[in-house]
Amino acid sequence: MTVTREEAGYRPKKERIYDFGEVEQTLNEKDRRLQASRCMDCGIPFCHWGCPVGSKIPEWQDAVYRGNKEEAYYILHSTNSFPEITGRICPAPCEKSCVLAIHEEAVTIRENECATVEQAFDSEIIKANPPKKRTGKKVAVIGSGPAGLSAADLLNRAGHWVTVLEKNDAVGGLMRYGIPDFKLNKNVIDRRLGLFAEEGMEFRTNVNVGVDISKEELLIEYDAVVLAMGAEQPRNLSVEGRDLDGVHFAMDFLRQQNKFVAGQVISEEERISAKHKNVLVIGGGDTGSDCVGTSIRQKASSVTQIEILPKPGEKREDNNPWPYWPNTLRTSSSHKEGCERRWNLSTKRFIGENGKLKQVELVQVEWNKDENGRWAMNEVPETNEIIDVYLAFLSMGFTQPVHVGLLEQLGVNFDPRGNVKVDGKKQTSIEKIFAAGDVEKGASLVVHAIQAGKVAAKNVDDFLRNHE
Ligand SMILES: Cc1cc2nc3c(=O)[nH]c(=O)nc-3n(C[C@H](O)[C@H](O)[C@H](O)COP(=O)(O)OP(=O)(O)OC[C@H]3O[C@@H](n4cnc5c(N)ncnc54)[C@H](O)[C@@H]3O)c2cc1C
Ligand code: SF4
C-alpha cells in the first residue's frame, strides 16, 4: 500500500531514435523487489486467468520479493518456454486483470517477468537440461516461430527427437523477421536457441517444406508433425495505384530492416528506405506502430499512421469492464517518437508520377449501426483530401496462412476463416498432423502462440505414447 507502481520507462527519445537497440530500460534489483512486493496475494488472482499461458504470477512475485531468484525463475519457466520474450513484448493482459488494478495501478508483472529471467541468466541459474532418456520417436515442427519453438521445447524435453524446419535463413518466425530489434534484440532469441541445441533439438533453416521436402518424405520420415507456419497472407488494399513504386506490404519493410540490422547486405535496388520521405502507414495496429518506429529510425521526413476505425477512448466503457482486455487507446514507444495518428480515414487511391508514388487520396468515414444492429461504414461527403506521400506501408493485418504449397499438398481441412482446422487437441483432419499458433488461430500474439505450442506438444506426446 505504500509502494506505488514504478515503470522502468524508455531510453530518452533523443537517444533511442538513432539506433535499433531495445527502447525499454530496467530497474535496479532493490526497486524491482519493491515492485514485486506490490502483489497483494489477493486470494483469487485474476492475473493468471488473464495470462494465456496461465503464469503462476502471485507465486513468482513472492519469490522475487523474497530475493529467491532460482525459485522465481523455476515457477515462471514452468508455464512458458520464453519468459524473456513475453517479458519484453507481451501486451500483458495479466496486468489488465490484476485485482490491484480495480482501484489502483496494476503490478508491473511484465517488467518483473523480464527482470526475473535476465537475473536468472546473469546468475547462471539457466542451464541446458537435456532429457535423460530418448523415446526414439521423431517429430517434425514446421515453422520456427513461438508456436513451433514452444511445441519443440516440450516435445524435446519429453524425450522425442525434434527437428525444426524453417524456410527462412534464421530461426524465430516473426520474432526474428517481423518484430523490430528495438522491441526485441535478436540475441535474446539466440541465447535460448543455444540452450535448445545443447539439449538436442535440431534446426534446419532454408528448408521450405512442401518445396524442398515433399509431403510423402515428411510423413515417412517423422512419427508426428506440428504445423506452426504462421498466418503469412497479408491483407491487401485493392485500390487504384496499388502497384506504384513506393507502396509496400509492411512486412517487406520490417523484414528487410531486421535483416539489415543482422548485418545482411541489401542492394540499393532492393532497399526500402524511408529516409527524407513522407511516410504513410495504413493500419492502426501493432505492425503499423512498428513501421512508425522503423521509419523514424530511418530518418523519415514525416510519419502519419491512419486507421479506418474510430479513435478508441482513454478509459474502459461500461460494456468492457475489468478484468477483460480494455479496448482503449494504446500508445507505443514508437508513437511517442513523433508521428501523427489519425482515425476514421479510408484510402481511396494512390497517385503516382512516372510509376512512383507521390500522393494518396483519403476520405473521412463514419460508423453507424444498420437496421440489423451491425456496424456499417459510410464515407462522409466532401471530406476527400490528397496528401503528399512517397512511401506507403500496408499494415492491415493478415488474412490466413498461405494455402498454396504444403497445406494444399497435405489436404488438411480449413475453418471458415481459412485457418487450419484443429480440434481441442490441436489435431488437424489428418491423424498424425497437429497445428499450433497463428496457422490455426489466425494472426494473434506471441503469448497465444506459446500456449498453442504447449497444447499441441502435450497431445503429440500422448499420440506418440499411444502409438508405441
Ligand atoms: C510486425 C509484427 C509485430 C508484432 N509484434 C508483436 C508484439 O509486440 N507482441 C506480440 O505478442 N505479438 C506480436 N506480433 C504477433 C506475433 O509475432 C505472432 O502472433 C507470432 O509470431 C505467431 O507465432 P507462430 O509461431 O504461430 O508463427 P510465426 O511467428 O509467423 O512463424 C511461422 C514460421 O513458419 C515458417 N514457415 C511457413 N511456412 C513454412 C514452410 N512451408 N516450411 C518451413 N517453414 C515455414 C515461416 O517462415 C515462419 O518463420 C507481431 C507481429 C508482427 C507481424
Ligand atoms: S506472458 Fe504476458 S500475460 Fe502472461 S504473465 Fe507474462 S506478461 Fe503477463
Side-chain angles (χ1 to χ4, degrees), residues 151-301:
D153 178 31
L154 298 180
L155 288 164
N156 186 50
R157 283 200 246 164
H160 310 298
W161 290 113
V162 180
T163 306
V164 179
L165 301 158
E166 170 55 58
K167 70 173 158 55
N168 284 332
D169 58 7
V171 171
L174 286 172
M175 301 185 296
R176 172 81 57 186
Y177 289 140
I179 298 174
D181 292 64
F182 58 79
K183 276 166 61 182
L184 175 65
N185 185 307
K186 306 312 167 200
N187 292 334
V188 174
I189 308 173
D190 293 334
R191 185 175 58 183
R192 184 63 70 174
L193 294 178
L195 291 169
F196 286 171
E198 271 188 68
E199 289 167 351
M201 200 186 290
E202 189 193 353
F203 300 104
R204 290 175 61 195
T205 51
N206 293 312
V207 178
N208 189 344
V209 185
V211 176
D212 303 314
I213 296 183
S214 70
K215 163 193 160 183
E216 288 74 22
E217 285 171 294
L218 188 71
L219 296 178
I220 290 168
E221 172 102 19
Y222 296 97
D223 300 297
V225 175
V226 179
L227 305 174
M229 301 152 66
E232 295 193 294
Q233 193 70 56
R235 184 168 284 114
N236 203 353
L237 186 61
S238 303
V239 297
E240 186 187 322
R242 166 66 185 87
D243 295 331
L244 288 168
D245 183 9
V247 184
H248 302 273
F249 282 121
M251 282 308 298
D252 293 337
F253 178 56
L254 296 174
R255 189 186 303 115
Q256 190 183 82
Q257 182 58 43
N258 287 14
K259 291 192 171 204
F260 191 75
V261 174
Q264 297 191 24
V265 179
I266 316 277
S267 70
E268 253 334 284
E269 305 86 72
E270 276 178 283
R271 184 90 171 118
I272 306 171
S273 170
K275 193 171 179 181
H276 301 158
K277 290 182 186 149
N278 295 331
V279 174
L280 179 69
V281 178
I282 302 174
D286 288 344
T287 306
S289 153
D290 291 344
C291 288
V292 169
T294 303
S295 300
I296 288 170
R297 279 161 184 74
Q298 290 191 2
K299 303 187 177 51
S301 306

Side-chain angles (χ1 to χ4, degrees), residues 424-442:
K425 295 178 174 177
K426 302 282 179 205
Q427 193 156 19
T428 69
S429 48
I430 300 173
E431 204 198 9
K432 69 185 210 182
I433 304 183
F434 294 73
D438 285 4
V439 73
E440 46 88 21
K441 186 182 170 66

Side-chain angles (χ1 to χ4, degrees), residues 209-389:
V209 185
V211 176
D212 303 314
I213 296 183
S214 70
K215 163 193 160 183
E216 288 74 22
E217 285 171 294
L218 188 71
L219 296 178
I220 290 168
E221 172 102 19
Y222 296 97
D223 300 297
V225 175
V226 179
L227 305 174
M229 301 152 66
E232 295 193 294
Q233 193 70 56
R235 184 168 284 114
N236 203 353
L237 186 61
S238 303
V239 297
E240 186 187 322
R242 166 66 185 87
D243 295 331
L244 288 168
D245 183 9
V247 184
H248 302 273
F249 282 121
M251 282 308 298
D252 293 337
F253 178 56
L254 296 174
R255 189 186 303 115
Q256 190 183 82
Q257 182 58 43
N258 287 14
K259 291 192 171 204
F260 191 75
V261 174
Q264 297 191 24
V265 179
I266 316 277
S267 70
E268 253 334 284
E269 305 86 72
E270 276 178 283
R271 184 90 171 118
I272 306 171
S273 170
K275 193 171 179 181
H276 301 158
K277 290 182 186 149
N278 295 331
V279 174
L280 179 69
V281 178
I282 302 174
D286 288 344
T287 306
S289 153
D290 291 344
C291 288
V292 169
T294 303
S295 300
I296 288 170
R297 279 161 184 74
Q298 290 191 2
K299 303 187 177 51
S301 306
S302 73
V303 186
T304 306
Q305 184 179 20
I306 61 167
E307 167 59 50
I308 202 163
L309 293 170
K311 183 177 180 181
E314 302 276 346
K315 291 205 171 120
R316 286 178 184 274
E317 300 282 338
D318 288 347
N319 62 1
N320 176 219
W322 177 94
Y324 294 103
W325 175 258
N327 300 317
T328 49
L329 181 68
R330 292 174 65 201
T331 301
S332 69
S333 61
S334 297
H335 292 133
K336 291 179 180 165
E337 289 163 4
C339 89
E340 188 185 1
R341 297 172 80 185
R342 299 178 63 190
W343 286 265
N344 280 324
L345 280 174
S346 173
T347 308
K348 294 287 283 179
R349 63 184 172 124
F350 298 107
I351 305 164
E353 206 179 281
N354 301 325
K356 284 193 174 16
L357 178 69
K358 280 279 179 301
Q359 292 176 314
V360 178
E361 183 178 345
L362 306 173
V363 65
Q364 283 180 32
V365 296
E366 58 185 10
W367 293 86
N368 295 304
K369 283 198 172 161
D370 64 17
E371 59 276 14
N372 302 316
R374 281 192 298 255
W375 286 103
M377 185 193 84
N378 294 302
E379 291 184 5
V380 182
E382 294 175 30
T383 58
N384 294 47
E385 62 180 302
I386 291 180
I387 60 171
D388 290 340
V389 171

Side-chain angles (χ1 to χ4, degrees), residues 384-445:
N384 294 47
E385 62 180 302
I386 291 180
I387 60 171
D388 290 340
V389 171
Y390 295 91
L391 201 53
F393 296 123
L394 310 183
S395 60
M396 301 165 304
F398 301 84
T399 53
Q400 59 184 39
V402 175
H403 291 185
V404 179
L406 183 65
L407 294 181
E408 278 182 0
Q409 288 171 26
L410 289 171
V412 288
N413 288 347
F414 297 104
D415 69 15
R417 290 162 56 219
N419 301 318
V420 172
K421 191 172 175 185
V422 289
D423 61 15
K425 295 178 174 177
K426 302 282 179 205
Q427 193 156 19
T428 69
S429 48
I430 300 173
E431 204 198 9
K432 69 185 210 182
I433 304 183
F434 294 73
D438 285 4
V439 73
E440 46 88 21
K441 186 182 170 66
S444 181
L445 293 171

